[in-house]
Amino acid sequence: MILGVVEAGMIIIRKWDKPLPLTSRGYFGILVSAIMMKAAISCTTMGEPEGNRWLLSIIGGCLVLACVTDLVLCQVYNFVWWIALAAAAVLLWKRLYLSEMQTKEEMLIALLLFLVLQYTVFCRTYGKADVYAFCVCAVAEAARGMKLAGYLSHMLLAYTLLLLVQTIGGNLNRRGNLKKSVPFLPYITMAFWMVILLKGKMKSF
């Protein structure tokens, strides 16, 4: 499913724009990412309806495609976020349908607050594609039962991964800033699956 979403997205891009200039290394990276995501989804949704796996796979495929286009083109096509958001929204609707009224209100208020923060505060520190990614991930995280602390933890973990990798790569100056800009989406994606897996271990996350 994940690879199917990526391939479908590439077909759409080829029709609208030029084919993505991917190398064999790029295709290998997509395959490895899809395998790792499938393992995370299978572990997270064990015992749940099959539809939950399909929806998370669609989100996963969109995140992979977004990472690929961000890495090779330094941009992300908007249709990727609409598809991912639709899948995340269905997941959230399913959870809200089974939740009590008070739980629904708390969940939606926390999610709305995070979305507002993304578009008013956090958007000043990274690009629009990163804002969209965090928003889509937050909807999916809410559907998995996460709260505001979970959304913020996702952001913190993404930054931590970015700083760790770039420090090892020698891409940080003495002030802690990047010497050369790098795509943030891969780190957002990695952090997303890590917090989704962590949520299965922590009820209050």
PDB file of all heavy atoms in Angstrom, residues 15-39:
ATOM      1  N   LYS A  15       2.543  13.585 -14.851  1.00  0.00           N
ATOM      2  CA  LYS A  15       1.515  14.157 -15.716  1.00  0.00           C
ATOM      3  C   LYS A  15       1.447  15.674 -15.573  1.00  0.00           C
ATOM      4  O   LYS A  15       1.142  16.391 -16.512  1.00  0.00           O
ATOM      5  CB  LYS A  15       0.154  13.520 -15.399  1.00  0.00           C
ATOM      6  CG  LYS A  15       0.047  12.065 -15.857  1.00  0.00           C
ATOM      7  CD  LYS A  15      -1.343  11.526 -15.638  1.00  0.00           C
ATOM      8  CE  LYS A  15      -1.505  10.115 -16.185  1.00  0.00           C
ATOM      9  NZ  LYS A  15      -1.308  10.062 -17.648  1.00  0.00           N
ATOM     10  N   TRP A  16       1.684  16.166 -14.363  1.00  0.00           N
ATOM     11  CA  TRP A  16       1.609  17.594 -14.104  1.00  0.00           C
ATOM     12  C   TRP A  16       2.931  18.308 -14.361  1.00  0.00           C
ATOM     13  O   TRP A  16       2.954  19.467 -14.746  1.00  0.00           O
ATOM     14  CB  TRP A  16       1.213  17.842 -12.645  1.00  0.00           C
ATOM     15  CG  TRP A  16      -0.227  17.585 -12.354  1.00  0.00           C
ATOM     16  CD1 TRP A  16      -1.201  17.220 -13.232  1.00  0.00           C
ATOM     17  CD2 TRP A  16      -0.862  17.677 -11.079  1.00  0.00           C
ATOM     18  NE1 TRP A  16      -2.399  17.072 -12.590  1.00  0.00           N
ATOM     19  CE2 TRP A  16      -2.232  17.343 -11.261  1.00  0.00           C
ATOM     20  CE3 TRP A  16      -0.430  17.989  -9.804  1.00  0.00           C
ATOM     21  CZ2 TRP A  16      -3.138  17.336 -10.211  1.00  0.00           C
ATOM     22  CZ3 TRP A  16      -1.334  17.983  -8.756  1.00  0.00           C
ATOM     23  CH2 TRP A  16      -2.674  17.655  -8.965  1.00  0.00           C
ATOM     24  N   ASP A  17       4.021  17.611 -14.111  1.00  0.00           N
ATOM     25  CA  ASP A  17       5.338  18.228 -14.150  1.00  0.00           C
ATOM     26  C   ASP A  17       6.334  17.235 -14.754  1.00  0.00           C
ATOM     27  O   ASP A  17       5.937  16.264 -15.394  1.00  0.00           O
ATOM     28  CB  ASP A  17       5.771  18.609 -12.726  1.00  0.00           C
ATOM     29  CG  ASP A  17       6.748  19.757 -12.693  1.00  0.00           C
ATOM     30  OD1 ASP A  17       7.352  20.040 -13.728  1.00  0.00           O
ATOM     31  OD2 ASP A  17       6.912  20.362 -11.606  1.00  0.00           O
ATOM     32  N   LYS A  18       7.614  17.453 -14.512  1.00  0.00           N
ATOM     33  CA  LYS A  18       8.640  16.547 -15.012  1.00  0.00           C
ATOM     34  C   LYS A  18       8.781  15.338 -14.084  1.00  0.00           C
ATOM     35  O   LYS A  18       8.499  15.430 -12.894  1.00  0.00           O
ATOM     36  CB  LYS A  18       9.979  17.284 -15.099  1.00  0.00           C
ATOM     37  CG  LYS A  18       9.955  18.481 -16.035  1.00  0.00           C
ATOM     38  CD  LYS A  18      11.301  19.191 -16.006  1.00  0.00           C
ATOM     39  CE  LYS A  18      11.270  20.424 -16.899  1.00  0.00           C
ATOM     40  NZ  LYS A  18      12.570  21.160 -16.853  1.00  0.00           N
ATOM     41  N   PRO A  19       9.243  14.196 -14.593  1.00  0.00           N
ATOM     42  CA  PRO A  19       9.488  13.022 -13.741  1.00  0.00           C
ATOM     43  C   PRO A  19      10.538  13.341 -12.684  1.00  0.00           C
ATOM     44  O   PRO A  19      11.451  14.140 -12.918  1.00  0.00           O
ATOM     45  CB  PRO A  19      10.013  11.975 -14.735  1.00  0.00           C
ATOM     46  CG  PRO A  19       9.516  12.420 -16.063  1.00  0.00           C
ATOM     47  CD  PRO A  19       9.501  13.925 -16.019  1.00  0.00           C
ATOM     48  N   LEU A  20      10.405  12.732 -11.528  1.00  0.00           N
ATOM     49  CA  LEU A  20      11.376  12.970 -10.457  1.00  0.00           C
ATOM     50  C   LEU A  20      12.726  12.377 -10.839  1.00  0.00           C
ATOM     51  O   LEU A  20      12.806  11.227 -11.278  1.00  0.00           O
ATOM     52  CB  LEU A  20      10.887  12.328  -9.157  1.00  0.00           C
ATOM     53  CG  LEU A  20       9.605  12.898  -8.545  1.00  0.00           C
ATOM     54  CD1 LEU A  20       9.228  12.131  -7.291  1.00  0.00           C
ATOM     55  CD2 LEU A  20       9.772  14.377  -8.237  1.00  0.00           C
ATOM     56  N   PRO A  21      13.806  13.141 -10.690  1.00  0.00           N
ATOM     57  CA  PRO A  21      15.145  12.653 -11.063  1.00  0.00           C
ATOM     58  C   PRO A  21      15.732  11.736  -9.996  1.00  0.00           C
ATOM     59  O   PRO A  21      16.675  12.091  -9.281  1.00  0.00           O
ATOM     60  CB  PRO A  21      15.945  13.959 -11.179  1.00  0.00           C
ATOM     61  CG  PRO A  21      15.294  14.877 -10.193  1.00  0.00           C
ATOM     62  CD  PRO A  21      13.823  14.548 -10.232  1.00  0.00           C
ATOM     63  N   LEU A  22      15.173  10.540  -9.879  1.00  0.00           N
ATOM     64  CA  LEU A  22      15.614   9.603  -8.853  1.00  0.00           C
ATOM     65  C   LEU A  22      16.686   8.656  -9.379  1.00  0.00           C
ATOM     66  O   LEU A  22      16.625   8.195 -10.513  1.00  0.00           O
ATOM     67  CB  LEU A  22      14.430   8.792  -8.329  1.00  0.00           C
ATOM     68  CG  LEU A  22      13.414   9.536  -7.454  1.00  0.00           C
ATOM     69  CD1 LEU A  22      12.265   8.614  -7.086  1.00  0.00           C
ATOM     70  CD2 LEU A  22      14.078  10.083  -6.202  1.00  0.00           C
ATOM     71  N   THR A  23      17.647   8.334  -8.524  1.00  0.00           N
ATOM     72  CA  THR A  23      18.688   7.361  -8.844  1.00  0.00           C
ATOM     73  C   THR A  23      18.315   6.024  -8.218  1.00  0.00           C
ATOM     74  O   THR A  23      17.314   5.912  -7.495  1.00  0.00           O
ATOM     75  CB  THR A  23      20.045   7.823  -8.289  1.00  0.00           C
ATOM     76  OG1 THR A  23      19.942   7.909  -6.852  1.00  0.00           O
ATOM     77  CG2 THR A  23      20.415   9.191  -8.846  1.00  0.00           C
ATOM     78  N   SER A  24      19.106   5.007  -8.480  1.00  0.00           N
ATOM     79  CA  SER A  24      18.867   3.693  -7.877  1.00  0.00           C
ATOM     80  C   SER A  24      18.947   3.785  -6.354  1.00  0.00           C
ATOM     81  O   SER A  24      18.224   3.089  -5.638  1.00  0.00           O
ATOM     82  CB  SER A  24      19.887   2.682  -8.397  1.00  0.00           C
ATOM     83  OG  SER A  24      21.206   3.130  -8.146  1.00  0.00           O
ATOM     84  N   ARG A  25      19.810   4.663  -5.873  1.00  0.00           N
ATOM     85  CA  ARG A  25      19.922   4.876  -4.427  1.00  0.00           C
ATOM     86  C   ARG A  25      18.628   5.454  -3.857  1.00  0.00           C
ATOM     87  O   ARG A  25      18.198   5.098  -2.766  1.00  0.00           O
ATOM     88  CB  ARG A  25      21.095   5.817  -4.140  1.00  0.00           C
ATOM     89  CG  ARG A  25      21.362   6.067  -2.661  1.00  0.00           C
ATOM     90  CD  ARG A  25      22.555   6.979  -2.480  1.00  0.00           C
ATOM     91  NE  ARG A  25      22.788   7.262  -1.080  1.00  0.00           N
ATOM     92  CZ  ARG A  25      23.748   8.063  -0.627  1.00  0.00           C
ATOM     93  NH1 ARG A  25      24.575   8.646  -1.501  1.00  0.00           N
ATOM     94  NH2 ARG A  25      23.891   8.292   0.660  1.00  0.00           N
ATOM     95  N   GLY A  26      18.012   6.353  -4.629  1.00  0.00           N
ATOM     96  CA  GLY A  26      16.758   6.945  -4.196  1.00  0.00           C
ATOM     97  C   GLY A  26      15.641   5.921  -4.115  1.00  0.00           C
ATOM     98  O   GLY A  26      14.873   5.896  -3.146  1.00  0.00           O
ATOM     99  N   TYR A  27      15.550   5.057  -5.118  1.00  0.00           N
ATOM    100  CA  TYR A  27      14.523   4.013  -5.106  1.00  0.00           C
ATOM    101  C   TYR A  27      14.757   3.021  -3.961  1.00  0.00           C
ATOM    102  O   TYR A  27      13.807   2.541  -3.344  1.00  0.00           O
ATOM    103  CB  TYR A  27      14.510   3.271  -6.443  1.00  0.00           C
ATOM    104  CG  TYR A  27      13.874   4.055  -7.571  1.00  0.00           C
ATOM    105  CD1 TYR A  27      14.637   4.575  -8.613  1.00  0.00           C
ATOM    106  CD2 TYR A  27      12.505   4.291  -7.573  1.00  0.00           C
ATOM    107  CE1 TYR A  27      14.053   5.300  -9.642  1.00  0.00           C
ATOM    108  CE2 TYR A  27      11.903   5.017  -8.590  1.00  0.00           C
ATOM    109  CZ  TYR A  27      12.686   5.523  -9.622  1.00  0.00           C
ATOM    110  OH  TYR A  27      12.092   6.250 -10.630  1.00  0.00           O
ATOM    111  N   PHE A  28      16.021   2.743  -3.695  1.00  0.00           N
ATOM    112  CA  PHE A  28      16.343   1.853  -2.576  1.00  0.00           C
ATOM    113  C   PHE A  28      15.909   2.479  -1.254  1.00  0.00           C
ATOM    114  O   PHE A  28      15.372   1.796  -0.371  1.00  0.00           O
ATOM    115  CB  PHE A  28      17.840   1.551  -2.554  1.00  0.00           C
ATOM    116  CG  PHE A  28      18.263   0.663  -1.422  1.00  0.00           C
ATOM    117  CD1 PHE A  28      17.968  -0.704  -1.438  1.00  0.00           C
ATOM    118  CD2 PHE A  28      18.944   1.184  -0.324  1.00  0.00           C
ATOM    119  CE1 PHE A  28      18.340  -1.522  -0.387  1.00  0.00           C
ATOM    120  CE2 PHE A  28      19.321   0.362   0.739  1.00  0.00           C
ATOM    121  CZ  PHE A  28      19.022  -0.995   0.703  1.00  0.00           C
ATOM    122  N   GLY A  29      16.123   3.781  -1.112  1.00  0.00           N
ATOM    123  CA  GLY A  29      15.706   4.484   0.096  1.00  0.00           C
ATOM    124  C   GLY A  29      14.199   4.444   0.282  1.00  0.00           C
ATOM    125  O   GLY A  29      13.709   4.282   1.406  1.00  0.00           O
ATOM    126  N   ILE A  30      13.464   4.572  -0.823  1.00  0.00           N
ATOM    127  CA  ILE A  30      12.007   4.489  -0.756  1.00  0.00           C
ATOM    128  C   ILE A  30      11.573   3.100  -0.293  1.00  0.00           C
ATOM    129  O   ILE A  30      10.685   2.962   0.553  1.00  0.00           O
ATOM    130  CB  ILE A  30      11.388   4.799  -2.137  1.00  0.00           C
ATOM    131  CG1 ILE A  30      11.598   6.270  -2.486  1.00  0.00           C
ATOM    132  CG2 ILE A  30       9.898   4.463  -2.161  1.00  0.00           C
ATOM    133  CD1 ILE A  30      11.161   6.640  -3.886  1.00  0.00           C
ATOM    134  N   LEU A  31      12.211   2.071  -0.836  1.00  0.00           N
ATOM    135  CA  LEU A  31      11.874   0.696  -0.464  1.00  0.00           C
ATOM    136  C   LEU A  31      12.140   0.439   1.015  1.00  0.00           C
ATOM    137  O   LEU A  31      11.292  -0.134   1.715  1.00  0.00           O
ATOM    138  CB  LEU A  31      12.684  -0.277  -1.319  1.00  0.00           C
ATOM    139  CG  LEU A  31      12.479  -1.772  -1.019  1.00  0.00           C
ATOM    140  CD1 LEU A  31      11.018  -2.169  -1.236  1.00  0.00           C
ATOM    141  CD2 LEU A  31      13.407  -2.622  -1.884  1.00  0.00           C
ATOM    142  N   VAL A  32      13.293   0.857   1.489  1.00  0.00           N
ATOM    143  CA  VAL A  32      13.643   0.662   2.900  1.00  0.00           C
ATOM    144  C   VAL A  32      12.671   1.414   3.803  1.00  0.00           C
ATOM    145  O   VAL A  32      12.208   0.880   4.824  1.00  0.00           O
ATOM    146  CB  VAL A  32      15.090   1.125   3.167  1.00  0.00           C
ATOM    147  CG1 VAL A  32      15.396   1.106   4.669  1.00  0.00           C
ATOM    148  CG2 VAL A  32      16.080   0.236   2.432  1.00  0.00           C
ATOM    149  N   SER A  33      12.334   2.643   3.428  1.00  0.00           N
ATOM    150  CA  SER A  33      11.394   3.443   4.216  1.00  0.00           C
ATOM    151  C   SER A  33      10.028   2.769   4.287  1.00  0.00           C
ATOM    152  O   SER A  33       9.397   2.727   5.349  1.00  0.00           O
ATOM    153  CB  SER A  33      11.249   4.837   3.602  1.00  0.00           C
ATOM    154  OG  SER A  33      12.479   5.529   3.610  1.00  0.00           O
ATOM    155  N   ALA A  34       9.570   2.244   3.150  1.00  0.00           N
ATOM    156  CA  ALA A  34       8.266   1.578   3.104  1.00  0.00           C
ATOM    157  C   ALA A  34       8.253   0.340   3.995  1.00  0.00           C
ATOM    158  O   ALA A  34       7.270   0.078   4.708  1.00  0.00           O
ATOM    159  CB  ALA A  34       7.927   1.197   1.671  1.00  0.00           C
ATOM    160  N   ILE A  35       9.335  -0.428   3.977  1.00  0.00           N
ATOM    161  CA  ILE A  35       9.423  -1.640   4.800  1.00  0.00           C
ATOM    162  C   ILE A  35       9.390  -1.285   6.287  1.00  0.00           C
ATOM    163  O   ILE A  35       8.691  -1.927   7.084  1.00  0.00           O
ATOM    164  CB  ILE A  35      10.706  -2.426   4.464  1.00  0.00           C
ATOM    165  CG1 ILE A  35      10.606  -3.006   3.053  1.00  0.00           C
ATOM    166  CG2 ILE A  35      10.932  -3.546   5.481  1.00  0.00           C
ATOM    167  CD1 ILE A  35      11.882  -3.657   2.562  1.00  0.00           C
ATOM    168  N   MET A  36      10.139  -0.257   6.667  1.00  0.00           N
ATOM    169  CA  MET A  36      10.179   0.166   8.068  1.00  0.00           C
ATOM    170  C   MET A  36       8.826   0.702   8.525  1.00  0.00           C
ATOM    171  O   MET A  36       8.376   0.421   9.642  1.00  0.00           O
ATOM    172  CB  MET A  36      11.269   1.221   8.254  1.00  0.00           C
ATOM    173  CG  MET A  36      12.680   0.689   8.042  1.00  0.00           C
ATOM    174  SD  MET A  36      13.945   1.965   8.211  1.00  0.00           S
ATOM    175  CE  MET A  36      13.787   2.392   9.945  1.00  0.00           C
ATOM    176  N   MET A  37       8.160   1.455   7.646  1.00  0.00           N
ATOM    177  CA  MET A  37       6.842   1.981   7.991  1.00  0.00           C
ATOM    178  C   MET A  37       5.823   0.862   8.132  1.00  0.00           C
ATOM    179  O   MET A  37       4.979   0.885   9.032  1.00  0.00           O
ATOM    180  CB  MET A  37       6.377   2.983   6.928  1.00  0.00           C
ATOM    181  CG  MET A  37       7.053   4.321   7.003  1.00  0.00           C
ATOM    182  SD  MET A  37       6.346   5.491   5.811  1.00  0.00           S
ATOM    183  CE  MET A  37       7.421   6.903   6.082  1.00  0.00           C
ATOM    184  N   LYS A  38       5.891  -0.111   7.243  1.00  0.00           N
ATOM    185  CA  LYS A  38       4.960  -1.236   7.315  1.00  0.00           C
ATOM    186  C   LYS A  38       5.120  -1.984   8.635  1.00  0.00           C
ATOM    187  O   LYS A  38       4.139  -2.390   9.261  1.00  0.00           O
ATOM    188  CB  LYS A  38       5.187  -2.189   6.140  1.00  0.00           C
ATOM    189  CG  LYS A  38       4.251  -3.407   6.160  1.00  0.00           C
ATOM    190  CD  LYS A  38       4.412  -4.259   4.932  1.00  0.00           C
ATOM    191  CE  LYS A  38       3.581  -5.533   5.016  1.00  0.00           C
ATOM    192  NZ  LYS A  38       2.157  -5.262   5.308  1.00  0.00           N
ATOM    193  N   ALA A  39       6.372  -2.158   9.066  1.00  0.00           N
ATOM    194  CA  ALA A  39       6.634  -2.832  10.331  1.00  0.00           C
ATOM    195  C   ALA A  39       6.060  -2.028  11.498  1.00  0.00           C
ATOM    196  O   ALA A  39       5.451  -2.594  12.416  1.00  0.00           O
ATOM    197  CB  ALA A  39       8.137  -3.030  10.516  1.00  0.00           C
TER     198      ALA A  39
END
